[in-house]
Amino acid sequence: MQTHKIAVIGGDGIGPEVISQGMRALKEAARLDGSFAFDFTEYPWGCEYYLKTGRMMPADGMDQLSRHEAVYLGAVGAPGVPDHISLWDLLLKIRKGFDQYINLRPIKLLQGAPCPLKDVDRRAIDMIVVRENSEGEYASAGDWLFRGQENEVVLQTGVFSRKGCQRTIRYAFELARSLGKSVSNITKSNALNYSMVYWDQIFAEVAQDYPDVPTHAYLVDAASMFFVKDPGRFQVVVASNLFGDILTDLGAAISGGMGLAAGANLNPERKYPSMFEPIHGSAPDIAGKGLANPLASIWSASQMLEFLGHPQWAQKLLDAIEQTLIAGDCLTPDMGGSANAAQVTDAVLSYLAQ
Ligand code: NAD
Ligand code: IPM
Ligand code: MN
């Protein structure tokens, strides 16, 4: 029996509500298969923990996580703790500390999922965003000078390294080649005359190694417009940290909503654990009300199954999500239903078992 050691951080708001459902899905896939199992260790880290201890995770938190194959995370952030502290001391600390430099976010409109776009071929919404996840606009480099004074100045510097750009763009090309798809490079080189011009240059260099992969280039403002007007243009999308962040909430909106959008933070070399999480936040507006949609976290569980070497269960779990959407009789309010997270998960698990 193969046992996967997984660190679980439910986090804040709806995080624990959805992650507990995703754990049920993982356990059920393992039970149905019979040849692998999960050993979950749950960590009570997050904003409540911070208000009690002054820290988002213990001093040896990263050491504790490093003893696992993967991290499964809900969401981080709560009113009462500044977001830049809670996120930088937990979520972003893990992404950076474990060099999870690829953030893989599928934007695929499953059958039955709600879509606000009119006159768009539903099957055309089928892309995967490769977001740079370790540097760029999220490098945390800057300064805050002359605080509160007349001459106050704030700097937030982007950091774009050759290694950082190359490995992300190369990952996107490898993925596109393996899928037989195109790569769209999304930047803003007309205005960001250092960072994005450099990124485009690295893109052109890497592209030379992949003459078989079709490429497209968009400025991020126009790309946002085409995500809505003509999403079928995009197959594999590669973008910097901040642009990837913004584009994937837009992507979520056209492919079923925040309640369905999944993400994987990968350290492809497997030197450190990778982390799987829905891309949504802690949704304080609906936390504790039984309204949270668990499908995004279950889809991230599917991504974890794939990463752990169980692609057949990854696909079966995604199919079970799709069956639940097609049936349409057991969905959360964000999808027009009246079920709660546990009931939606019951439905998913019943399709998984079929
Ligand atoms: P959010 O994603 O939490 O919520 C945006 C909207 O989507 C809200 O109306 C919310 O109710 C809805 N929503 C999100 N997930 C849902 C789900 N599973 N089911 C049903 N509805 C859902 O974004 P926000 O409101 O901008 O941020 C709230 C907090 O979360 C902030 O503290 C923010 O910093 C943090 N945040 C954390 C993460 C993360 O941990 N990965 C991601 C984004 C935001
Ligand atoms: C996401 C989130 C995070 C990000 C925030 C909470 C720091 O929005 O995972 O998309 O910007 O990466
Ligand atoms: Mn985001």
Side-chain angles (χ1 to χ4, degrees):
M1 174 83 79
Q2 184 187 19
T3 300
H4 299 296
K5 275 173 68 80
I6 309 298
V8 179
I9 305 171
D12 304 313
I14 64 168
E17 300 174 33
V18 296
I19 228 65
S20 55
Q21 303 305 323
M23 286 165 71
R24 288 179 60 202
L26 289 167
K27 280 186 214 157
E28 181 63 1
R31 190 188 69 80
L32 290 166
D33 183 275
S35 77
F36 66 94
F38 286 100
D39 175 9
F40 294 112
T41 308
E42 292 187 61
Y43 295 98
W45 304 341
C47 288
E48 263 181 53
Y49 186 90
Y50 176 89
L51 291 172
K52 273 187 240 146
T53 66
R55 308 187 59 102
M56 289 298 291
M57 65 161 87
D60 68 345
M62 292 297 284
D63 278 347
Q64 295 192 44
L65 295 179
S66 70
R67 289 177 217 126
H68 298 81
E69 224 175 321
V71 180
Y72 189 39
L73 183 134
V76 180
V81 181
D83 273 347
H84 66 279
I85 294 179
S86 57
L87 272 310
W88 269 105
D89 288 354
L90 190 52
L91 178 76
L92 297 174
K93 184 172 178 154
I94 298 171
R95 286 185 188 163
K96 234 181 218 291
F98 288 156
D99 203 19
Q100 294 165 349
Y101 62 88
I102 296 297
N103 193 180
L104 219 47
R105 296 185 160 185
I107 295 170
K108 180 178 166 63
L109 183 61
L110 300 179
Q111 288 179 63
C115 176
L117 303 183
K118 293 202 168 56
D119 308 324
V120 161
D121 175 7
R122 293 177 56 92
R123 285 161 306 177
I125 303 179
D126 185 3
M127 57 178 119
I128 180 139
V129 175
V130 178
R131 170 188 179 192
E132 200 292 317
N133 212 32
S134 69
E135 53 169 36
E137 306 88 345
Y138 284 45
S140 188
D143 211 337
W144 197 314
L145 303 167
F146 314 115
R147 254 179 213 262
Q149 298 174 43
E150 196 77 349
N151 53 346
E152 189 166 29
V153 175
V154 175
L155 303 172
Q156 183 93 45
T157 306
V159 174
F160 291 79
S161 67
R162 176 166 283 274
K163 177 180 158 194
C165 298
Q166 264 175 351
R167 62 187 184 175
T168 303
I169 292 167
R170 193 166 284 285
Y171 190 95
F173 272 101
E174 288 291 332
L175 181 64
R177 176 180 273 172
S178 74
L179 299 171
K181 296 196 166 174
S182 66
V183 181
S184 292
N185 181 36
I186 298 186
T187 57
K188 183 69 188 170
S189 315
N190 48 0
L192 303 182
N193 51 342
Y194 296 103
S195 58
M196 292 288 128
V197 172
Y198 182 65
W199 175 290
D200 282 351
Q201 183 193 308
I202 302 284
F203 185 90
E205 284 173 24
V206 174
Q208 293 192 341
D209 293 340
Y210 300 86
D212 51 311
V213 177
T215 62
H216 306 281
Y218 295 92
L219 297 165
V220 66
D221 43 359
S224 309
M225 179 273 293
F226 283 128
F227 262 48
V228 172
K229 298 294 277 184
D230 189 15
R233 290 166 178 255
F234 302 101
Q235 298 183 336
V236 174
V237 167
V238 66
S240 66
N241 213 328
L242 180 62
F243 291 172
D245 174 49
I246 297 168
L247 285 170
T248 49
D249 265 33
L250 179 53
I254 62 169
S255 60
M258 293 308 290
L260 191 52
N265 305 272
L266 302 180
N267 173 251
E269 292 75 27
R270 297 177 190 247
K271 184 172 172 201
Y272 303 104
S274 290
M275 176 163 67
F276 300 83
E277 51 162 351
I279 82 166
H280 62 70
S282 52
D285 54 338
I286 59 165
K289 296 180 180 161
L291 300 172
N293 188 340
L295 293 176
S297 62
I298 296 176
W299 192 334
S300 346
S302 158
Q303 289 183 295
M304 189 198 292
L305 285 164
E306 167 136 28
F307 181 79
L308 295 176
H310 308 292
Q312 69 285 23
W313 286 105
Q315 188 59 50
K316 282 183 194 181
L317 188 52
L318 189 54
D319 291 345
I321 292 172
E322 191 163 43
Q323 289 304 313
T324 307
L325 291 165
I326 292 169
D329 55 351
C330 188
L331 298 172
T332 43
D334 57 308
M335 293 190 155
S338 57
N340 64 29
Q343 291 163 334
V344 172
T345 309
D346 290 343
V348 173
L349 299 191
S350 73
Y351 291 114
L352 187 66
Q354 279 170 24

